[in-house]
Amino acid sequence: GDYRESWQPHPMNEAVLLRAQDIAEKVTSALGGWGIFGVELFINGNDVLFSEVSPRPHDTGMVTLISQDYSEFALHVRAILGLPLPNIRQLGQSASCAIVIEGNSEDIRFGGLRESLSDPNVGIRLFGKPEINGHRRLGVVLATGHTINDARDRARTSASKIIVQLN
């Protein structure tokens, strides 16, 4: 699968969460290094399957820009500099929805941003990628809500209002 949405907090069975954390710890310890590693796992019932690892912050973790007081980027900087990692405080039910486009262009323009941002619980991060050749994530919509499903709905609705024009 390819990242389309992520959300926090994610309701998980405690035993499955512990297995996921154990796998992530083994992968990152074997690699060594400093900073944040994006360890992607698939959860299917009680099964935890390793998918891939990125030795850096990743699009899937951009939800942390709105879901907690220290984003994946802030934690990455602290880890690289050898600074202590803080206790992370969750800020509430949050979700992200990727802005994914298919096409070929070196002239990418965005419309519908005013409409997308009409919900005060929504933010947008455009990646500033100068070109697209095929399939590409060009940004992410971040949203908060009363429940995870509310946050996910807000993120998807706002993302659907963004018009990407390839010239």
Side-chain angles (χ1 to χ4, degrees):
D2 189 26
Y3 159 65
R4 293 288 192 261
E5 293 182 59
S6 59
W7 54 89
Q8 276 189 317
H10 184 75
M12 286 184 74
N13 169 301
E14 187 67 26
V16 174
L17 177 59
L18 290 172
R19 272 199 298 285
Q21 290 171 336
D22 182 57
I23 291 170
E25 193 278 325
K26 286 178 181 171
V27 169
T28 56
S29 290
L31 291 173
W34 293 78
I36 293 282
F37 289 83
V39 180
E40 184 176 284
L41 304 168
F42 293 114
I43 309 299
N44 184 17
N46 290 327
D47 295 329
V48 180
L49 306 168
F50 173 77
S51 174
E52 68 178 9
V53 64
S54 299
R56 58 176 168 69
H58 195 268
D59 296 356
T60 56
M62 288 188 78
V63 69
T64 62
L65 289 167
I66 200 168
S67 67
Q68 59 192 46
D69 57 351
Y70 288 90
S71 73
E72 68 175 342
F73 301 104
L75 293 170
H76 188 63
V77 168
R78 291 181 75 88
I80 287 172
L81 295 175
L83 297 172
L85 297 179
N87 291 325
I88 300 168
R89 186 172 48 94
Q90 289 290 147
L91 301 177
Q93 314 296 313
S94 307
S96 71
C97 181
I99 302 166
V100 182
I101 301 300
E102 191 86 31
N104 294 292
S105 179
E106 292 181 1
D107 185 8
I108 304 167
R109 299 179 188 206
F110 296 90
L113 300 178
R114 178 180 297 278
E115 294 79 7
S116 180
L117 290 169
S118 65
D119 183 336
N121 296 307
V122 168
I124 300 171
R125 302 297 189 279
L126 300 176
F127 298 159
K129 295 180 178 179
E131 64 184 31
I132 181 171
N133 294 303
H135 167 93
R136 195 158 202 196
R137 284 188 297 275
L138 298 179
V140 65
V141 174
L142 305 167
T144 59
H146 299 291
T147 65
I148 291 171
N149 285 335
D150 180 35
R152 291 177 68 199
D153 288 343
R154 287 173 189 265
R156 282 192 302 262
T157 298
S158 291
S160 72
K161 294 176 182 177
I162 297 173
I163 301 160
V164 179
Q165 185 178 34
L166 305 178
N167 297 315

